[in-house]
Amino acid sequence: MRSVSIIGIGQTPVGELWERSARELAYEAISSAMADAGVERADALFVGNMLSGNLLDQEHLGTLVADFCGMHGIEAAKVEAACASGAAALRVGTMAVASGFHDIVIVAGLEKMTDTVGKDTTAGLATAADAEYEALHGVSFVGLNALIMQRYMYEYDVPLDAFAGFSINAHRNGANNPNAMFQEPITLEDYLRAPVIATPINIMDSSPVCDGAAAVVLAPTEWAHRFTTGHHRGAVQILASASANDTLAVHDRRDPLFLEAAHISSQKAFRQAGVSPEDLDLFELHDAFTIMTALSLEANGFARRGEGWRMAHEGEIGIHGRIPISTMGGLKSRGHPVGATGVYQIVECVLQLTGAAGANQVPNARLAMAQNIGGSGATIITHILGA
């Protein structure tokens, strides 16, 4: 198996981008990544996306995007794993290059969520859950996370404002990200005043519905020097790529308060990369809801069970903290265009590892982990990148 590196990155701003189509967003991110890498053509294109069939009446998305980008005759496919679709596409692309099947591969994440009315978007997101045993009974995606959060607060005797620090940290970092949907910091008072969506989750606990696209170009590591001289920052190596699943329905899990798939996939990734949690300089986690932030920190070995929420209170997750998270705003402030999120996380890790993260730069960042969650913890994909 060949070592794989990221030689180019691209992204669009995240927001309610009504005036632009999905294919246009994909083109912007992909053309930026190709220009960054200095390549004019690729052997394959893998597009991470969750909702194009539901919300846009458009499947066959891989070929649609390849066609619009003028890449004819190549392999092109959509990759779907609910909200982990972006990382799933990256994993497919990584395996394609590592195996030698392809040399230059583009991985894009794309989602258009704001062109439909709220109930349709909510129904689309609910397809990440078990259709017969969860969604059929009217449990929305935010409803499932609210049930998990309620149980966590009960089991560990956690106060209602315990999760505020995660949102405050995300918005503080997002304020310095020109591509973030929300570019303003928030206070504890803002968090406490926020309207409740599904008790106990309020607006500040939840990532927004939005649109966006991000892309990376992959190549064998031994080729990277061909593309990274001159204008480019430098390549970033993919040291680990790992995926694990859990039960689709929350009620089927041995313990609904432990992200077993996160633990398994990160342990696989740590072994692949030959590192431990203590070696990481930053962690782009899947903070779709603040409860998922706490559970992710616990499952990946950064905090004890029931104590992940304390890390925000104790300043451990900031840019200069023990393990910086959501360094460019995370899903909460940058935004969560679901199928694109996993690729945005990777783009942001590359910015950090190449010293290009601007005001949010983690000092001397050499090792980064990104973790993308599909459903309420049913598919979890972990990548570790090295400068």
Side-chain angles (χ1 to χ4, degrees):
M1 298 287 278
R2 300 188 294 184
S3 172
V4 182
S5 287
I6 297 167
I7 60 169
I9 58 173
Q11 61 180 314
T12 72
V14 177
E16 296 178 337
L17 309 177
W18 298 316
E19 72 286 357
R20 300 166 67 202
S21 68
R23 69 185 84 191
E24 289 170 330
L25 291 175
Y27 174 80
E28 180 180 338
I30 290 168
S31 59
S32 294
M34 293 178 73
D36 191 39
V39 301
E40 295 181 358
R41 188 164 176 80
D43 304 317
L45 168 69
F46 299 107
V47 180
N49 174 272
M50 175 184 172
L51 295 168
S52 68
N54 268 319
L55 302 187
L56 306 180
D57 296 324
Q58 180 67 67
E59 290 291 7
H60 216 170
L61 196 67
T63 292
L64 174 89
V65 171
D67 179 17
F68 194 70
C69 292
M71 293 185 282
H72 303 133
I74 69 168
E75 177 178 358
K78 168 180 168 175
V79 181
E80 186 276 322
C83 325
S85 297
L90 178 66
R91 184 159 160 71
V92 171
T94 300
M95 290 191 289
V97 175
S99 66
F101 268 106
H102 294 305
D103 293 323
I104 304 295
V105 168
I106 297 169
V107 174
L110 168 65
E111 207 71 72
K112 199 84 170 68
M113 303 171 69
T114 69
D115 289 359
T116 42
V117 294
K119 68 180 180 64
D120 292 339
T121 306
T122 299
L125 288 167
T127 62
D130 189 310
E132 291 183 52
Y133 293 104
E134 291 177 320
L136 185 69
H137 299 281
V139 186
S140 67
F141 203 56
V142 66
L144 280 173
N145 280 271
L147 290 169
I148 295 169
M149 189 167 170
Q150 278 188 347
R151 190 69 199 179
Y152 183 96
M153 292 170 68
Y154 171 79
E155 289 285 348
Y156 300 119
D157 192 24
V158 175
L160 190 61
D161 64 352
F163 302 90
F166 294 134
S167 294
I168 292 168
N169 175 71
H171 279 269
R172 182 192 305 124
N173 295 338
N176 296 319
N177 179 0
N179 290 302
M181 184 171 184
F182 300 125
Q183 296 178 30
E184 292 184 10
I186 65 166
T187 64
L188 177 59
E189 290 70 31
D190 294 328
Y191 177 90
L192 295 173
R193 283 200 305 262
V196 172
I197 310 169
T199 306
I201 291 177
N202 68 39
I203 282 177
M204 293 302 176
D205 288 307
S206 175
S207 56
V209 167
C210 50
D211 310 322
V216 297
V217 181
L218 307 180
T221 298
E222 66 264 27
W223 290 22
H225 68 278
R226 303 184 193 177
F227 304 98
T228 55
T229 54
H231 74 287
H232 191 68
R233 295 173 305 275
V236 165
Q237 190 176 354
I238 299 175
L239 301 175
S241 175
S243 182
N245 72 347
D246 201 345
T247 66
L248 190 59
V250 174
H251 64 255
D252 283 332
R253 293 183 195 155
R254 290 189 300 174
D255 184 349
L257 298 184
F258 187 71
L259 293 175
E260 190 164 358
H263 176 74
I264 294 170
S265 72
S266 66
Q267 290 301 308
K268 288 180 183 176
F270 291 141
R271 286 194 297 273
Q272 285 178 31
V275 302
S276 66
E278 294 75 31
D279 297 319
L280 296 175
D281 296 306
L282 65 132
F283 178 26
E284 290 302 334
L285 48 65
H286 192 95
D287 55 335
F289 299 96
T290 53
I291 180 61
M292 283 294 141
T293 309
L295 294 181
S296 295
L297 289 168
E298 293 169 20
N300 289 291
F302 298 105
R304 288 199 292 267
R305 297 284 306 273
E307 296 188 0
W309 60 276
R310 295 185 186 276
M311 293 183 67
H313 285 263
E314 294 165 7
E316 295 187 289
I317 61 169
I319 295 296
H320 299 279
R322 174 163 68 92
I323 181 68
I325 67 170
S326 309
T327 65
M328 301 300 284
L331 285 62
K332 175 65 193 79
S333 181
R334 176 240 298 130
H336 181 27
V338 287
T341 289
V343 184
Y344 273 101
Q345 290 177 317
I346 296 298
V347 166
E348 291 160 358
C349 286
V350 171
L351 290 174
Q352 290 286 0
L353 295 174
T354 55
N360 290 353
Q361 182 65 51
V362 173
N364 305 311
R366 305 294 297 167
L367 203 61
M369 185 163 88
Q371 192 170 77
N372 200 192
I373 299 179
S376 50
T379 300
I380 303 187
I381 303 170
T382 305
H383 287 92
I384 296 176
L385 309 182

PDB file of all heavy atoms in Angstrom, residues 176-191:
ATOM      1  N   ASN A 176     -13.070  34.207  13.351  1.00  0.00           N
ATOM      2  CA  ASN A 176     -11.859  34.466  12.571  1.00  0.00           C
ATOM      3  C   ASN A 176     -11.783  33.647  11.291  1.00  0.00           C
ATOM      4  O   ASN A 176     -10.738  33.629  10.638  1.00  0.00           O
ATOM      5  CB  ASN A 176     -10.616  34.174  13.422  1.00  0.00           C
ATOM      6  CG  ASN A 176     -10.506  35.086  14.620  1.00  0.00           C
ATOM      7  OD1 ASN A 176     -10.772  36.275  14.518  1.00  0.00           O
ATOM      8  ND2 ASN A 176     -10.120  34.539  15.766  1.00  0.00           N
ATOM      9  N   ASN A 177     -12.864  32.972  10.943  1.00  0.00           N
ATOM     10  CA  ASN A 177     -12.880  32.134   9.738  1.00  0.00           C
ATOM     11  C   ASN A 177     -13.743  32.797   8.669  1.00  0.00           C
ATOM     12  O   ASN A 177     -14.968  32.846   8.805  1.00  0.00           O
ATOM     13  CB  ASN A 177     -13.430  30.740  10.080  1.00  0.00           C
ATOM     14  CG  ASN A 177     -13.489  29.825   8.868  1.00  0.00           C
ATOM     15  OD1 ASN A 177     -13.119  30.200   7.753  1.00  0.00           O
ATOM     16  ND2 ASN A 177     -13.971  28.608   9.056  1.00  0.00           N
ATOM     17  N   PRO A 178     -13.138  33.319   7.587  1.00  0.00           N
ATOM     18  CA  PRO A 178     -13.923  34.022   6.565  1.00  0.00           C
ATOM     19  C   PRO A 178     -14.921  33.135   5.837  1.00  0.00           C
ATOM     20  O   PRO A 178     -15.830  33.643   5.172  1.00  0.00           O
ATOM     21  CB  PRO A 178     -12.854  34.553   5.605  1.00  0.00           C
ATOM     22  CG  PRO A 178     -11.651  33.689   5.833  1.00  0.00           C
ATOM     23  CD  PRO A 178     -11.699  33.293   7.278  1.00  0.00           C
ATOM     24  N   ASN A 179     -14.779  31.800   5.963  1.00  0.00           N
ATOM     25  CA  ASN A 179     -15.717  30.880   5.310  1.00  0.00           C
ATOM     26  C   ASN A 179     -16.812  30.374   6.241  1.00  0.00           C
ATOM     27  O   ASN A 179     -17.660  29.595   5.827  1.00  0.00           O
ATOM     28  CB  ASN A 179     -14.948  29.685   4.734  1.00  0.00           C
ATOM     29  CG  ASN A 179     -14.091  30.084   3.549  1.00  0.00           C
ATOM     30  OD1 ASN A 179     -14.598  30.605   2.564  1.00  0.00           O
ATOM     31  ND2 ASN A 179     -12.789  29.869   3.653  1.00  0.00           N
ATOM     32  N   ALA A 180     -16.795  30.821   7.510  1.00  0.00           N
ATOM     33  CA  ALA A 180     -17.787  30.347   8.473  1.00  0.00           C
ATOM     34  C   ALA A 180     -19.143  31.007   8.239  1.00  0.00           C
ATOM     35  O   ALA A 180     -19.233  32.165   7.823  1.00  0.00           O
ATOM     36  CB  ALA A 180     -17.316  30.620   9.897  1.00  0.00           C
ATOM     37  N   MET A 181     -20.202  30.287   8.555  1.00  0.00           N
ATOM     38  CA  MET A 181     -21.557  30.833   8.447  1.00  0.00           C
ATOM     39  C   MET A 181     -21.784  31.907   9.509  1.00  0.00           C
ATOM     40  O   MET A 181     -22.371  32.951   9.232  1.00  0.00           O
ATOM     41  CB  MET A 181     -22.581  29.706   8.599  1.00  0.00           C
ATOM     42  CG  MET A 181     -24.016  30.162   8.411  1.00  0.00           C
ATOM     43  SD  MET A 181     -25.127  28.743   8.333  1.00  0.00           S
ATOM     44  CE  MET A 181     -26.700  29.566   7.993  1.00  0.00           C
ATOM     45  N   PHE A 182     -21.320  31.647  10.722  1.00  0.00           N
ATOM     46  CA  PHE A 182     -21.474  32.608  11.817  1.00  0.00           C
ATOM     47  C   PHE A 182     -20.098  33.116  12.219  1.00  0.00           C
ATOM     48  O   PHE A 182     -19.266  32.352  12.702  1.00  0.00           O
ATOM     49  CB  PHE A 182     -22.163  31.946  13.017  1.00  0.00           C
ATOM     50  CG  PHE A 182     -23.533  31.410  12.700  1.00  0.00           C
ATOM     51  CD1 PHE A 182     -23.839  30.079  12.944  1.00  0.00           C
ATOM     52  CD2 PHE A 182     -24.513  32.216  12.145  1.00  0.00           C
ATOM     53  CE1 PHE A 182     -25.097  29.562  12.652  1.00  0.00           C
ATOM     54  CE2 PHE A 182     -25.771  31.707  11.843  1.00  0.00           C
ATOM     55  CZ  PHE A 182     -26.065  30.386  12.093  1.00  0.00           C
ATOM     56  N   GLN A 183     -19.882  34.408  12.044  1.00  0.00           N
ATOM     57  CA  GLN A 183     -18.566  34.988  12.298  1.00  0.00           C
ATOM     58  C   GLN A 183     -18.604  35.985  13.456  1.00  0.00           C
ATOM     59  O   GLN A 183     -17.914  36.992  13.442  1.00  0.00           O
ATOM     60  CB  GLN A 183     -18.032  35.642  11.023  1.00  0.00           C
ATOM     61  CG  GLN A 183     -17.796  34.649   9.898  1.00  0.00           C
ATOM     62  CD  GLN A 183     -17.307  35.292   8.619  1.00  0.00           C
ATOM     63  OE1 GLN A 183     -16.625  36.316   8.643  1.00  0.00           O
ATOM     64  NE2 GLN A 183     -17.648  34.699   7.484  1.00  0.00           N
ATOM     65  N   GLU A 184     -19.404  35.655  14.459  1.00  0.00           N
ATOM     66  CA  GLU A 184     -19.469  36.503  15.649  1.00  0.00           C
ATOM     67  C   GLU A 184     -19.329  35.651  16.897  1.00  0.00           C
ATOM     68  O   GLU A 184     -19.937  34.578  16.994  1.00  0.00           O
ATOM     69  CB  GLU A 184     -20.805  37.258  15.707  1.00  0.00           C
ATOM     70  CG  GLU A 184     -20.975  38.310  14.629  1.00  0.00           C
ATOM     71  CD  GLU A 184     -22.267  39.082  14.797  1.00  0.00           C
ATOM     72  OE1 GLU A 184     -22.927  38.921  15.841  1.00  0.00           O
ATOM     73  OE2 GLU A 184     -22.616  39.840  13.877  1.00  0.00           O
ATOM     74  N   PRO A 185     -18.540  36.113  17.878  1.00  0.00           N
ATOM     75  CA  PRO A 185     -18.449  35.377  19.148  1.00  0.00           C
ATOM     76  C   PRO A 185     -19.759  35.470  19.919  1.00  0.00           C
ATOM     77  O   PRO A 185     -20.578  36.367  19.666  1.00  0.00           O
ATOM     78  CB  PRO A 185     -17.309  36.090  19.893  1.00  0.00           C
ATOM     79  CG  PRO A 185     -17.242  37.448  19.286  1.00  0.00           C
ATOM     80  CD  PRO A 185     -17.689  37.318  17.862  1.00  0.00           C
ATOM     81  N   ILE A 186     -19.983  34.539  20.842  1.00  0.00           N
ATOM     82  CA  ILE A 186     -21.159  34.589  21.709  1.00  0.00           C
ATOM     83  C   ILE A 186     -20.707  34.545  23.165  1.00  0.00           C
ATOM     84  O   ILE A 186     -19.588  34.151  23.471  1.00  0.00           O
ATOM     85  CB  ILE A 186     -22.147  33.429  21.422  1.00  0.00           C
ATOM     86  CG1 ILE A 186     -21.505  32.071  21.761  1.00  0.00           C
ATOM     87  CG2 ILE A 186     -22.648  33.472  19.983  1.00  0.00           C
ATOM     88  CD1 ILE A 186     -22.502  30.923  21.824  1.00  0.00           C
ATOM     89  N   THR A 187     -21.610  34.959  24.044  1.00  0.00           N
ATOM     90  CA  THR A 187     -21.337  34.961  25.481  1.00  0.00           C
ATOM     91  C   THR A 187     -22.177  33.899  26.176  1.00  0.00           C
ATOM     92  O   THR A 187     -23.091  33.314  25.569  1.00  0.00           O
ATOM     93  CB  THR A 187     -21.684  36.328  26.089  1.00  0.00           C
ATOM     94  OG1 THR A 187     -23.110  36.536  25.949  1.00  0.00           O
ATOM     95  CG2 THR A 187     -20.935  37.454  25.377  1.00  0.00           C
ATOM     96  N   LEU A 188     -21.900  33.678  27.446  1.00  0.00           N
ATOM     97  CA  LEU A 188     -22.712  32.761  28.231  1.00  0.00           C
ATOM     98  C   LEU A 188     -24.162  33.244  28.269  1.00  0.00           C
ATOM     99  O   LEU A 188     -25.100  32.438  28.198  1.00  0.00           O
ATOM    100  CB  LEU A 188     -22.154  32.647  29.657  1.00  0.00           C
ATOM    101  CG  LEU A 188     -22.946  31.768  30.626  1.00  0.00           C
ATOM    102  CD1 LEU A 188     -23.052  30.336  30.112  1.00  0.00           C
ATOM    103  CD2 LEU A 188     -22.318  31.799  32.011  1.00  0.00           C
ATOM    104  N   GLU A 189     -24.353  34.561  28.344  1.00  0.00           N
ATOM    105  CA  GLU A 189     -25.718  35.117  28.359  1.00  0.00           C
ATOM    106  C   GLU A 189     -26.442  34.792  27.049  1.00  0.00           C
ATOM    107  O   GLU A 189     -27.636  34.468  27.061  1.00  0.00           O
ATOM    108  CB  GLU A 189     -25.669  36.630  28.577  1.00  0.00           C
ATOM    109  CG  GLU A 189     -25.232  37.057  29.974  1.00  0.00           C
ATOM    110  CD  GLU A 189     -23.751  36.778  30.240  1.00  0.00           C
ATOM    111  OE1 GLU A 189     -22.937  36.818  29.277  1.00  0.00           O
ATOM    112  OE2 GLU A 189     -23.403  36.489  31.410  1.00  0.00           O
ATOM    113  N   ASP A 190     -25.737  34.889  25.922  1.00  0.00           N
ATOM    114  CA  ASP A 190     -26.347  34.528  24.631  1.00  0.00           C
ATOM    115  C   ASP A 190     -26.808  33.077  24.647  1.00  0.00           C
ATOM    116  O   ASP A 190     -27.893  32.739  24.168  1.00  0.00           O
ATOM    117  CB  ASP A 190     -25.342  34.717  23.487  1.00  0.00           C
ATOM    118  CG  ASP A 190     -24.967  36.171  23.265  1.00  0.00           C
ATOM    119  OD1 ASP A 190     -25.822  37.042  23.499  1.00  0.00           O
ATOM    120  OD2 ASP A 190     -23.812  36.431  22.880  1.00  0.00           O
ATOM    121  N   TYR A 191     -25.955  32.206  25.196  1.00  0.00           N
ATOM    122  CA  TYR A 191     -26.284  30.778  25.258  1.00  0.00           C
ATOM    123  C   TYR A 191     -27.525  30.556  26.127  1.00  0.00           C
ATOM    124  O   TYR A 191     -28.445  29.835  25.735  1.00  0.00           O
ATOM    125  CB  TYR A 191     -25.091  29.998  25.819  1.00  0.00           C
ATOM    126  CG  TYR A 191     -25.362  28.509  25.981  1.00  0.00           C
ATOM    127  CD1 TYR A 191     -25.093  27.620  24.942  1.00  0.00           C
ATOM    128  CD2 TYR A 191     -25.898  27.993  27.168  1.00  0.00           C
ATOM    129  CE1 TYR A 191     -25.345  26.261  25.083  1.00  0.00           C
ATOM    130  CE2 TYR A 191     -26.153  26.643  27.308  1.00  0.00           C
ATOM    131  CZ  TYR A 191     -25.874  25.784  26.266  1.00  0.00           C
ATOM    132  OH  TYR A 191     -26.145  24.452  26.401  1.00  0.00           O
TER     133      TYR A 191
END
